[in-house]
Amino acid sequence: MNQPTLLSAIARWIVSADFPDLPDGEIAAARAALADFVAVAAAGSGTPVVRNAALYAAQNERAGTCVQQLGRTVRFSPRTAAFLNGTAAHALDFDDVSWTTIGHPTVGIAPTALSLAVAQGLCGREFLTAYVVGAECAHQIARWTMPQLSEHGWHTTLANGVFGAAAAAAWQLKTDVSTTTNALAIAASLASGIRANFGSQTKAIHAGLSNLHGMMAVELAAAGITGKDDALEASDGYAACFAARLPREKCTVDLGSRWDLMENGLVFKQYPCCSGTHPALDVWGEWVDKVHPKLDDIEAVHLGVSLLGPLELISHCPRNAVEAKFSMEFALASRLVYQRTGIEEFTDDKVLDVRIQALMKKMTMEIDPDLAKLGFIGTAPVRIRIKTKSGVVCLANDLAKGNPEKPLSESDRKAKFSSCVSPIAGSETAARWWNELSTLELLSPNQLSLLGAL
């Protein structure tokens, strides 16, 4: 008997999935991810890239606006709101990370789930379930196509995330198996996102496009547009074009028996910049706090990184805040000069500070031979050699705090949430949002529609 195609098998699971099927650990993981998403989307809502994207949206959108942009009073259609909230949530590069995808899963999926939940009058439980369905489908496909997809230069937040957004939308719109299969096939043709655009506003737009394209795929399928059900594993299919040919007989669809969010977890960031800097920032920060070095004491800093490092940390002498998000040199210089690497440090003026520019010029980065042996991984282990006037210091760190093995505490996550939301909505509103998100699955449709409202 022939096996069903991969997309049709995934579609069958989407249609049958329901909240009572979710393990408690999966619900807890989703709840934490969605709280982090709301926080970083609110914090990013006023960034230049979101202002530019909102200008585009206002020029191209007509009446029928019903979903509010997080952290703002303006309302848009569900698809546009998802696009803007996805862009906002990724704008600061403060959003969660998955090592299954080596990307940012939640920002490419949750905005879709939230927009459609609000537009359709769904409750918190349905919002959470839609997000889980989307994330698990995206991670299922990632297990078949990673790390080759990322090695080829694709930004998985969009290239993989679009399947998650489509899955979430299909679940919420209750499309049948055939329509859902077509939607996933259409999503395969809408997948995109190149890493060469890191260090520009387009990188943040990738998360918005994941939601926009995912919702569009479902809308097109619902209108009768068809796709090939073997679009994933076909000889010229998604896997062959983006990663490597995918033999159907070697692929197991284990949705519903394997729960990636619960089993592998997500990384919640401490710093609003590329995760490739985070292990270095942790160990560098400990050294700075212990030694209190002066700028003139540091003669040279050499950074040994793993294979992904030079591909994502591309800005060695950044000239603006967006480029600085992808600069190991700026991250470390900021931690020494400003004593922190937070949202407030990523401004053009602070990047161009003469002390920062001078210290960055003392830093070099290259692949460490021993770390290269680990393969194409996202965890960003680092080896740092610091030459000072008094001698040489060697530091090493294999994993940043915020990973499942070194988790942020609930108080850490709450503090991050408050620091992101309070400047936008006030401390009382931030506390209310946190409490509501902590029991998200209990929220009524009306409570969910007011979440994020100012």
Side-chain angles (χ1 to χ4, degrees):
M1 183 175 178
N2 291 334
Q3 289 180 301
T5 61
L6 295 175
L7 292 184
S8 63
I10 292 171
R12 276 200 286 273
W13 181 77
I14 292 170
V15 170
S16 67
D18 200 4
F19 180 82
D21 301 329
L22 308 186
D24 290 344
E26 185 80 357
I27 294 169
R31 201 187 294 127
L34 292 171
D36 194 73
F37 151 66
V38 169
V40 296
S45 62
T47 55
V49 61
V50 178
R51 291 199 300 270
N52 293 340
L55 177 63
Y56 164 81
Q59 292 170 340
N60 290 276
E61 179 136 316
R62 298 184 172 228
T65 58
C66 61
V67 179
Q68 184 163 314
Q69 181 190 347
L70 288 167
R72 290 289 178 263
T73 57
V74 65
R75 291 179 178 272
F76 292 97
S77 68
R79 196 199 303 169
T80 301
F83 167 67
L84 292 175
N85 283 331
T87 300
H90 201 36
L92 298 175
D93 227 284
F94 210 2
D95 47 306
D96 65 26
V97 174
S98 160
W99 298 137
T100 300
T101 68
I102 313 186
H104 304 265
T106 301
V107 294
I109 300 167
T112 292
L114 178 60
S115 287
L116 287 176
V118 171
Q120 295 191 106
L122 304 181
C123 64
R125 187 168 88 162
E126 292 166 304
F127 168 39
L128 185 149
T129 304
Y131 164 70
V132 168
V133 167
E136 292 299 334
C137 287
H139 287 202
Q140 171 75 87
I141 293 170
R143 289 196 291 273
W144 296 326
T145 57
M146 290 295 291
Q148 294 96 330
L149 188 146
S150 187
E151 287 178 317
H152 291 172
W154 297 106
H155 183 203
T156 58
T157 300
L158 171 52
N160 173 264
V162 66
F163 292 106
W171 186 87
Q172 288 174 297
L173 295 172
K174 304 304 177 190
T175 56
D176 60 24
V177 171
S178 176
T179 302
T180 302
T181 303
N182 285 328
L184 294 171
I186 295 167
S189 280
L190 294 174
S192 56
I194 55 173
R195 198 162 49 231
N197 270 319
F198 281 23
S200 75
Q201 290 188 359
T202 297
K203 203 263 191 179
I205 292 289
H206 285 172
L209 290 175
S210 176
N211 293 280
L212 184 68
H213 290 177
M215 292 178 72
M216 182 187 300
V218 178
E219 291 168 358
L220 288 169
I225 303 298
T226 62
K228 296 298 292 290
D229 64 356
D230 65 347
L232 206 59
E233 70 268 28
S235 58
D236 287 330
Y238 169 86
C241 293
F242 279 75
R245 183 71 188 275
L246 196 63
R248 174 62 184 92
E249 64 275 7
K250 293 184 179 180
C251 298
T252 299
V253 180
D254 48 14
L255 291 163
S257 60
R258 181 173 179 177
W259 301 94
D260 197 85
L261 294 180
M262 177 178 71
E263 294 169 17
N264 291 324
L266 298 172
V267 182
F268 295 108
K269 289 187 172 185
Q270 299 181 90
Y271 315 106
C273 52
C274 178
S275 60
T277 67
H278 291 204
L281 271 169
D282 279 357
V283 70
W284 171 267
E286 291 171 2
W287 176 73
V288 167
D289 290 343
K290 179 180 179 180
V291 176
H292 303 290
K294 292 186 168 91
L295 282 173
D296 291 342
D297 291 337
I298 297 175
E299 297 181 347
V301 179
H302 180 74
L303 299 141
V305 298
S306 57
L307 294 175
L308 182 57
L311 301 178
E312 60 183 359
L313 300 171
I314 57 174
S315 297
H316 300 295
C317 192
R319 306 298 296 175
N320 59 58
V322 177
E323 292 178 355
K325 297 282 185 183
F326 306 93
S327 174
M328 177 77 87
E329 294 86 350
F330 175 79
L332 301 190
S334 173
R335 182 64 176 82
L336 177 57
V337 173
Y338 304 128
Q339 298 302 303
R340 63 193 305 272
T341 305
I343 293 174
E344 295 80 6
E345 282 63 59
F346 285 90
T347 67
D348 291 353
D349 287 344
K350 289 192 173 181
V351 172
L352 294 174
D353 185 291
V354 293
R355 297 168 298 171
I356 294 288
Q357 292 290 321
L359 182 53
M360 289 193 298
K361 287 182 173 64
K362 296 180 180 180
M363 299 185 188
T364 57
M365 185 181 77
E366 65 180 358
I367 295 173
D368 180 275
D370 290 332
L371 297 181
K373 295 174 185 176
L374 300 174
F376 199 85
I377 58 173
T379 49
V382 68
R383 304 293 179 261
I384 307 176
R385 186 178 185 274
I386 309 164
K387 184 181 179 184
T388 70
K389 289 181 178 177
S390 58
V392 174
V393 178
C394 293
L395 308 173
N397 191 16
D398 291 333
L399 200 65
K401 185 179 178 183
N403 276 270
E405 299 88 343
K406 294 182 179 180
L408 298 184
S409 66
E410 183 173 352
S411 62
D412 290 333
R413 291 190 295 104
K414 186 176 181 180
K416 175 184 176 180
F417 187 93
S418 180
S419 71
C420 286
V421 175
S422 293
I424 304 297
S427 57
E428 289 186 9
T429 299
R432 174 171 59 82
W433 288 6
W434 174 263
N435 290 335
E436 290 174 344
L437 287 160
S438 297
T439 55
L440 176 59
E441 65 273 24
L442 302 180
L443 295 187
S444 68
N446 185 59
Q447 288 173 310
L448 184 63
S449 70
L450 295 174
L451 181 66
L454 298 179

